[in-house]
Amino acid sequence: MRLIGLILLLGIQLFAVDATLEIVKNTNKIPYIVVERLDSENADFGAKVLKMLVADLKVSGHFQVYDGGVSKAQTITYKDYADKKIDLLAQIKVSKSSNAITGTILLYDINRSKLAYTKEYTENDLKRFPFIAHNMTIDVNSYIQAPSIQWMQRLVVLSQYTTSGSSEILIADYTLTYQKVVVRGGLNIFPKWADSKQESIYYTKYLDVPTIVKHNLVSGQIERLVSSEGVAIVSDVSKNGENLILSLSPTALSDLYIYNTKSTNMRRLTNYSGIDVDGKFVNDEKEIIFVSDRLGYPNIFMMRIDGGGTEQVVLHGRNNSAVTSNGKYAVYTSRETNNEFGSNTFNLYLISLAPGSNYIRRLTASGKNQMPKYSHDGGTIMYLKHYKAQSALGIIRIDYNTNYFFPLTRMKIQAFDW
């Protein structure tokens, strides 16, 4: 029962149906790029890569993008494109052999009237075709020397409910177009990347009691770490992968612990009669930010790793049930309504963790916006959005004030990490 109560506290279960794309705002003067598909043998995968490439370029926030469809042109007439105020032309072609897929991009710099580069990308699994587009986008972005979007290469690890009492863990690209199940059988929840290379994951498996295990996705090796009667969750992993923030409830409701993976030593960080969960490293890993009900409702607090100086961080809202941080800023959920019998609105807010700062910015405006997760580079937020009869995985590009939504079809996501 305590595990169920904690899941409700974290507010992490959504229902999956279709949603749509929304670009909220873009006021920057940015390059105009046209993407075309060269007539090739594999029109099906060519069309899929083209669609994904167009979407990626939009999500980057660094381009105005136009889908040019299929082109049969043998030569490039630069003046025709220049007259239309086009800066870049990307032409792609896609081929497959057995289960491998290869994409080629030719990027033309219209302003310089030259072919900027040609590059091939190969994936040995047809289902990984989204990464052809993601890597093309990263390289086009690098050509214009825009801020890095390497996060598009990273995998998302997520757990989804399958049947009553069962869930599986998948890895996916950031759009959830590519998906691969890596853990099946039983209740497998709260996945977390164990290392920056994304070779291993932590997750909670219900054995006799909830147990944290480490699963090496390369070798298949599985190692048991810690068990706890009520709750056992890896809430955060240090940058070097050596220290974990754990949410455990060995005797009562959950508290936070720091666990060293090399020595296997564990030290208790909080000692509260209620619920302390969802701890995240902040401020060069000298402090943690976490969710606690010590005010009688979920709110966000911060404390030093040495166990002192606990303080309330958020003074807005009366149900702040999840938090993520890039170390200097934090994004949290806040319930905006108090409907006892109907649907409530949960929005995301961004705050600075600098001492004395009162900076706050609302990131969403409607619906239930939950489970925010920072990208590896700390510039993008991934979250789950539920609005009316629609659910989606959302991407917020913080510096560009843009949102992009990827529909969730027949998925009940329990938790995810990026």
Side-chain angles (χ1 to χ4, degrees):
M1 292 299 295
R2 285 189 295 237
L3 177 60
I4 294 173
L6 178 61
I7 291 175
L8 292 176
L9 171 66
L10 294 175
I12 56 176
Q13 183 172 350
L14 292 180
F15 298 96
V17 261
D18 288 344
T20 55
L21 144 72
E22 176 188 359
I23 298 293
V24 176
K25 184 180 179 185
N26 194 335
T27 58
N28 297 328
K29 178 176 173 52
I30 54 180
Y32 185 11
I33 183 170
V34 172
V35 183
E36 298 176 348
R37 177 168 62 86
L38 294 174
D39 209 8
S40 61
E41 295 180 1
N42 202 297
D44 182 29
F45 277 101
K48 290 179 179 179
V49 173
L50 174 67
K51 182 179 179 181
M52 185 66 69
L53 178 58
V54 169
D56 281 350
L57 290 165
K58 288 179 180 178
V59 171
S60 75
H62 301 152
F63 302 90
Q64 299 178 75
V65 190
Y66 177 73
D67 183 343
V70 179
S71 173
K72 295 185 179 180
Q74 298 298 312
T75 59
I76 302 299
T77 307
Y78 291 97
K79 186 177 184 304
D80 290 347
Y81 288 99
D83 288 345
K84 297 176 184 178
K85 308 298 182 184
I86 294 168
D87 301 294
L88 297 168
L89 168 65
Q91 291 188 331
I92 67 167
K93 56 184 178 181
V94 176
S95 61
K96 72 183 184 75
S97 175
S98 185
N99 199 41
I101 182 170
T102 298
T104 303
I105 185 171
L106 297 87
L107 183 69
Y108 295 91
D109 190 323
I110 303 302
N111 297 320
R112 297 181 180 180
S113 299
K114 72 169 189 176
L115 174 64
Y117 66 81
T118 301
K119 189 170 181 179
E120 280 191 357
Y121 308 80
T122 299
E123 294 288 345
N124 293 320
D125 181 351
L126 292 178
K127 294 180 180 179
R128 286 181 57 90
F129 77 85
F131 291 97
I132 298 286
H134 299 339
N135 288 315
M136 285 180 175
T137 304
I138 290 168
D139 286 339
V140 173
N141 186 76
S142 296
Y143 177 75
I144 67 168
Q145 299 182 342
S148 174
I149 51 171
Q150 292 290 330
W151 56 265
M152 285 190 179
Q153 290 180 320
R154 289 184 64 81
L155 291 163
V156 178
V157 61
L158 63 95
S159 57
Q160 69 166 349
Y161 294 112
T162 51
T163 59
S164 178
S166 296
S167 60
E168 58 189 16
I169 294 179
L170 304 83
I171 55 174
D173 76 310
Y174 85 95
T175 72
L176 301 191
T177 304
Y178 166 74
Q179 296 179 20
K180 179 182 179 181
V181 178
V182 294
V183 178
R184 284 188 174 93
L187 187 61
N188 308 286
I189 52 180
F190 298 111
K192 192 78 178 174
W193 286 112
D195 57 284
S196 60
K197 294 182 179 180
Q198 298 192 317
E199 293 179 346
S200 298
I201 59 172
Y202 297 109
Y203 64 95
T204 303
K205 188 173 187 67
Y206 191 86
L207 300 170
D208 294 330
V209 294
T211 302
I212 295 171
V213 300
K214 183 178 183 180
H215 185 162
N216 188 306
L217 300 178
V218 179
S219 67
Q221 181 181 358
I222 297 177
E223 172 189 1
R224 295 188 188 186
L225 270 69
V226 178
S227 296
S228 183
E229 184 66 30
V231 174
I233 303 170
V234 176
S235 296
D236 202 14
V237 180
S238 65
K239 289 183 178 179
N240 64 9
E242 291 185 11
N243 292 307
L244 312 179
I245 301 294
L246 306 182
S247 299
L248 301 173
S249 54
T251 56
L253 295 176
S254 63
D255 276 298
L256 296 173
Y257 296 75
I258 188 164
Y259 176 91
N260 184 273
T261 58
K262 288 191 172 182
S263 67
T264 71
N265 288 334
M266 185 164 63
R267 177 169 60 88
R268 192 170 188 164
L269 295 176
T270 64
N271 190 0
Y272 165 61
S273 59
I275 296 174
D276 289 339
V277 292
D278 209 17
K280 303 293 189 299
F281 289 106
V282 297
N283 295 332
D284 298 321
E285 301 183 359
K286 296 176 182 177
E287 298 178 285
I288 61 168
I289 194 169
F290 62 99
V291 177
S292 176
D293 69 347
R294 61 188 63 201
L295 296 179
Y297 56 88
N299 199 278
I300 312 301
F301 290 81
M302 189 160 63
M303 66 177 291
R304 296 195 306 269
I305 288 291
D306 63 15
T310 302
E311 61 178 308
Q312 183 180 353
V313 175
V314 174
L315 303 177
H316 167 268
R318 289 186 61 83
N319 189 314
N320 308 306
S321 56
V323 67
T324 185
S325 179
N326 64 0
K328 301 299 181 184
Y329 290 86
V331 173
Y332 65 90
T333 62
S334 178
R335 190 179 71 192
E336 308 285 72
T337 54
N338 191 22
N339 190 334
E340 184 176 353
F341 301 105
S343 179
N344 283 295
T345 296
F346 287 80
N347 280 316
L348 301 182
Y349 284 81
L350 172 73
I351 57 171
S352 170
L353 298 179
S357 174
N358 59 1
Y359 175 81
I360 183 171
R361 172 183 162 191
R362 191 171 73 175
L363 300 178
T364 61
S366 61
K368 294 180 180 178
N369 303 279
Q370 299 172 311
M371 290 172 57
K373 303 289 180 184
Y374 260 106
S375 60
H376 194 63
D377 64 3
T380 303
I381 297 293
M382 181 179 287
Y383 66 105
L384 294 183
K385 185 180 186 73
H386 181 74
Y387 181 68
K388 295 183 178 178
Q390 300 177 326
S391 289
L393 185 73
I395 296 288
I396 301 176
R397 298 283 283 135
I398 297 292
D399 292 339
Y400 306 94
N401 198 23
T402 58
N403 280 17
Y404 199 95
F405 298 118
F406 300 96
L408 294 176
T409 304
R410 299 183 299 276
M411 291 188 73
K412 293 183 179 181
I413 295 178
Q414 180 269 334
F416 71 90
D417 191 34
W418 191 13

